């Protein structure tokens, strides 16, 4: 019998996950069906339980349900706990396991696809919301020499640093946007949602060290962050690779098989 998976979101019709997982399934010969399911804003938990009762084996979770999925899970992986959010659910007989593959996906894209090794580098993470928190533990695990968090609301950046003080062992600090004038980085990751409104941020060009990779976690749009980074001669990347890699990690969690992401990323880029 074909195993069923789905992505839950609201809205969800735009999701690329069904296409990506169909390509993974085709490539690896796994017999799965993967659908996009719209959960009502006040009915996420009910939708998940209905899907389980109908034989669903696992699910991805996207905006705005990642924090609710964290609460629906009866067991959490360490990376989900650190993220405070769940993007991957696995249904077992007596448990709903909550995982988070976003940060692992980001790191895989930066290192494997873009060829930038994080160990020993100076990393700047812009933003202190859910998207930023979701990637901190996997970034720290790659042992950057520093991980600096900058956020428009400086207090939230300070709180994030405090939250990770056990894992970060002095590597993580927070700065205000104004203080960035005194710093340069090898990797700058934009985890803010500013680009969704086409909003720029008051960032000095000097944050982009020579050879810097500027990574925009959004995809499919030329954001002010990407425009500025390009003007400042940084190498740029958008978040499509992260999207494919987080999906591949979820596929691996469910199926125990890791797809060849380069081929799928090339297909998605050409669409
Ligand atoms: P997400 O889940 O996408 O992280 P979020 O938790 O609402 O969403 O966080 C949004 C992040 O983008 C925050 O860091 C926010 O900064 P504030 O904490 O100061 O609100 C940041 N952000 C959104 N719009 C921004 C803008 N125009 N300029 C700078 N930062 C912005």
């Amino acid at each position: 019998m074909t195993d069923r998976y789905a992505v839950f979101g609201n809205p969800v019709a735009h999701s690329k996950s069904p296409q990506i997982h169909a390509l993974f399934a085709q490539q690896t010969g796994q017999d799965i069906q993967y659908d996009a399911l719209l959960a009502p804003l006040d009915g996420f938990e009910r939708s998940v339980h209905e899907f389980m009762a109908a034989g669903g084996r696992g699910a991805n979770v996207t905006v705005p349900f990642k924090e609710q999925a964290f609460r629906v899970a009866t067991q959490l992986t360490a990376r989900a706990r650190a993220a405070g959010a769940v993007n991957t659910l696995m249904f077992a007989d007596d448990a709903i396991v909550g995982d988070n593959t976003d940060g692992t996906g980001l790191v895989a894209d930066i290192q494997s696809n873009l060829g930038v090794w994080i160990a020993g580098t100076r990393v700047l993470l812009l933003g202190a919301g859910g998207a930023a928190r979701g990637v901190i533990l996997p970034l720290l695990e790659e042992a950057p020499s520093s991980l600096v968090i900058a956020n428009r609301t400086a207090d939230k950046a300070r709180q994030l640093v405090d939250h990770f003080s056990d894992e970060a062992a002095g590597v993580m600090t927070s700065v205000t946007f104004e203080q960035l004038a005194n710093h340069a980085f090898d990797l700058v990751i934009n985890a803010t949602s500013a680009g969704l409104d086409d909003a720029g941020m008051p960032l000095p060009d000097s944050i982009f060290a020579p050879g810097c990779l500027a990574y925009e976690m959004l995809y499919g749009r030329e954001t002010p962050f990407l425009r500025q980074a390009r003007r400042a001669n940084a190498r740029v990347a958008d978040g499509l690779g992260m999207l494919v890699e987080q999906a591949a990690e979820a596929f691996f969690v469910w199926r125990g098989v890791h797809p060849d992401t380069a081929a799928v990323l090339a297909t998605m880029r050409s669409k």
Side-chain angles (χ1 to χ4, degrees):
M1 218 178 81
T2 304
D3 288 337
R4 288 191 62 199
Y5 299 87
V7 55
F8 286 97
N10 189 327
V12 79
H14 67 286
S15 173
K16 293 186 190 295
S17 294
Q19 266 173 286
I20 294 171
H21 281 278
L23 290 167
F24 290 163
Q26 197 179 43
Q27 182 198 77
T28 59
Q30 294 277 313
D31 183 19
I32 69 160
Q33 179 188 335
Y34 186 111
D35 300 302
L37 297 180
L38 181 75
L41 288 174
D42 62 353
F44 170 72
E45 183 163 1
R46 194 176 64 240
S47 299
V48 168
H49 283 283
E50 281 169 7
F51 184 59
M52 286 170 66
R57 299 285 304 271
N60 283 134
V61 181
T62 187
V63 179
F65 298 126
K66 289 184 185 183
E67 281 84 11
Q68 284 186 53
F70 182 90
R71 293 192 291 273
V72 166
T74 59
Q75 284 175 28
L76 292 165
T77 62
R79 58 191 181 181
R81 199 169 286 120
V86 157
N87 79 335
T88 302
L89 293 167
M90 192 171 63
F91 307 137
D93 287 343
D94 53 355
I96 301 176
V97 181
D99 198 355
N100 193 311
T101 65
D102 285 331
T104 305
L106 172 70
V107 167
D109 192 36
I110 291 170
Q111 299 200 141
S112 308
N113 298 333
L114 298 165
V116 172
W117 259 252
I118 293 168
T121 60
R122 299 162 293 177
V123 180
L124 170 63
L125 183 63
L126 299 168
R133 181 174 166 185
V135 299
I136 288 175
L137 185 65
L139 283 172
L140 285 172
E141 284 173 349
E142 298 306 319
S145 65
S146 60
L147 176 58
V148 175
I149 314 284
N151 193 50
R152 177 177 61 183
T153 311
D155 229 24
K156 280 169 64 183
R158 277 194 287 273
Q159 283 168 21
L160 257 195
V161 172
D162 285 348
H163 185 81
F164 284 93
S165 56
D166 287 348
E167 295 87 351
V171 167
M172 231 174 129
T173 51
S174 67
V175 296
T176 62
F177 280 170
E178 293 74 40
Q179 288 167 332
L180 282 172
N182 306 317
H183 294 77
F185 301 90
D186 309 300
L187 172 60
V188 178
I189 300 166
N190 184 18
T192 74
S193 52
L196 289 176
D197 307 321
D198 214 26
M201 288 174 279
L203 306 173
D205 283 352
S206 54
I207 59 172
F208 304 105
C212 174
L213 173 66
Y215 195 103
E216 168 65 80
M217 279 173 52
L218 301 175
Y219 59 85
R221 54 201 302 152
E222 177 71 3
T223 62
F225 170 77
L226 283 177
R227 276 199 292 277
Q228 180 181 1
R230 209 175 261 123
R231 273 200 314 271
N233 292 320
R235 184 179 165 201
V236 300
D238 77 356
L240 188 64
M242 174 179 173
L243 180 77
V244 170
E245 293 294 344
Q246 64 77 29
E249 184 69 13
F251 193 89
F252 176 70
V253 165
W254 294 327
R255 311 299 298 180
V257 182
H258 209 286
D260 170 11
T261 50
V264 172
L265 182 53
T267 305
M268 296 305 294
R269 279 237 184 268
S270 68
K271 280 183 193 282

